[in-house]
Amino acid sequence: MLTVALPKGELLKNSIRLLQSVGLDFSGFLDSGNRQLQIPDASGQAKAILVRAQDVPVYVEYGQAQLGIVGYDVLQEKKPQVAQLVDLQFGYCRMSLAVKASSSYKTPLDLPAHGRVASKYVNCARDYFQGLDLPVEIVPLYGSVELGPITGMSEAIVDIVSTGKTLRENGLVEIATLYQSTARLIVHPLSYRLNMGNINQLVEQLRVEQLTVM
Ligand SMILES: Nc1ncnc2c1ncn2[C@@H]1O[C@H](COP(=O)(O)OP(=O)(O)OP(=O)(O)O)[C@@H](O)[C@H]1O
Ligand SMILES: O=P(O)(O)OC[C@H]1O[C@H](OP(=O)(O)OP(=O)(O)O)[C@H](O)[C@@H]1O
């Protein structure tokens, strides 16, 4: 039986919608009273496990799930050994560098050498500043990173921006975009090569459906 790893949070609804369009129903995860972390599809072809967004590639890399749905941002941060097969065209956001709107930093190179940058995406932030040849201290945080510059702990943040509302409401502005991100269908490479549980057919169906459903 195929196992699909689904991310809790922002990408869950659209992931479930997409899978429904190819006949796999995991809508039970959307029931507010439901605390089950794995549910079988009614057809008996597959089951889904519900994990934190950052953990989706872990289950796929280790082969406990053959398929998963995860943001490109997470793949950039963790660089897991998985095949990235389809850009699912939802979960649009961008990884940005932001500073206080009132600061004098208008471009990344205006930031002071050895200044601090707070982020949940420490590898993305580190790679970006290495590419600029600007030495900075990356301060790892787990959320609400906008508070870094507000409290004065850091000069800047590297974080996901979607509507821009969170930045605006906290007096921050973007000064650079590291990359754009969308949800991706990822696959365990060996399972794909061996076509386990007819995985290739399902991937093709998802490739077609994502164009019409979203
Ligand atoms: N505001 C947003 N708008 C659109 N997509 C987003 C937004 N925030 C995050 N995403 C995308 O959705 C994915 C999951 O984000 P979500 O906020 O649900 O989890 P998370 O905060 O990264 O993880 P966790 O809560 O487990 O720490 C992200 O990796 C990104 O690809
Ligand atoms: O541009 P916007 O549409 O306002 O969205 C951006 C916000 O969404 C994410 O936060 P999330 O809700 O995941 O909370 P977090 O601070 O715990 O990461 C991200 O970290 C920003 O704070």
Side-chain angles (χ1 to χ4, degrees):
M1 186 194 274
L2 273 181
T3 301
V4 186
L6 295 180
K8 289 181 182 181
E10 202 64 42
L11 302 178
L12 185 63
K13 262 196 194 156
N14 278 338
S15 300
I16 286 176
R17 227 173 110 204
L18 177 66
L19 290 165
Q20 266 172 338
S21 73
V22 297
L24 297 174
D25 183 10
F26 301 118
S27 56
F29 283 139
L30 299 175
D31 299 344
S32 55
N34 188 2
R35 293 293 301 160
Q36 276 181 294
L37 295 175
Q38 57 173 7
I39 50 177
D41 164 64
S43 69
Q45 299 172 62
K47 72 171 181 188
I49 57 174
L50 184 64
V51 304
R52 284 185 73 171
Q54 312 270 338
D55 293 337
V56 167
V58 179
Y59 284 94
V60 175
E61 185 167 8
Y62 281 85
Q64 271 63 44
Q66 290 75 46
L67 282 175
I69 294 179
V70 66
Y72 176 75
D73 52 317
V74 173
L75 299 175
Q76 281 297 100
E77 178 65 15
K78 298 180 81 100
K79 301 265 178 352
Q81 300 290 310
V82 297
Q84 207 189 123
L85 292 185
V86 187
D87 179 344
L88 297 172
Q89 311 280 339
F90 62 86
Y92 282 101
C93 53
R94 54 191 181 272
M95 188 64 68
S96 293
L97 175 66
V99 297
K100 272 171 98 164
S102 58
S103 78
S104 59
Y105 313 127
K106 304 298 175 208
T107 76
L109 293 174
D110 293 337
L111 289 168
H114 306 291
R116 296 196 196 123
V117 179
S119 190
K120 259 168 91 167
Y121 295 83
V122 290
N123 296 324
C124 293
R126 189 176 299 114
D127 290 351
Y128 177 70
F129 282 99
Q130 271 173 2
L132 292 178
D133 219 11
L134 182 67
V136 294
E137 182 185 343
I138 309 294
V139 182
L141 290 177
Y142 288 101
S144 299
V145 297
E146 293 81 4
L147 286 169
I150 293 174
T151 60
M153 181 178 68
S154 69
E155 276 79 25
I157 60 171
V158 164
D159 197 20
I160 291 291
V161 179
S162 174
T163 60
K165 187 171 191 283
T166 311
L167 289 184
R168 265 194 312 280
E169 294 196 356
N170 289 288
L172 304 184
V173 288
E174 292 168 86
I175 56 169
T177 303
L178 281 63
Y179 55 79
Q180 309 281 337
S181 177
T182 46
R184 303 297 163 100
L185 180 71
I186 58 169
V187 185
H188 181 250
L190 189 61
S191 306
Y192 189 60
R193 224 172 304 137
L194 300 178
N195 195 19
M196 275 178 62
N198 238 345
I199 196 172
N200 302 10
Q201 191 191 337
L202 181 60
V203 168
E204 279 320 304
Q205 281 177 291
L206 287 167
R207 208 190 286 279
V208 171
E209 282 302 322
Q210 57 93 14
L211 298 174
T212 53
V213 175
M214 298 303 161

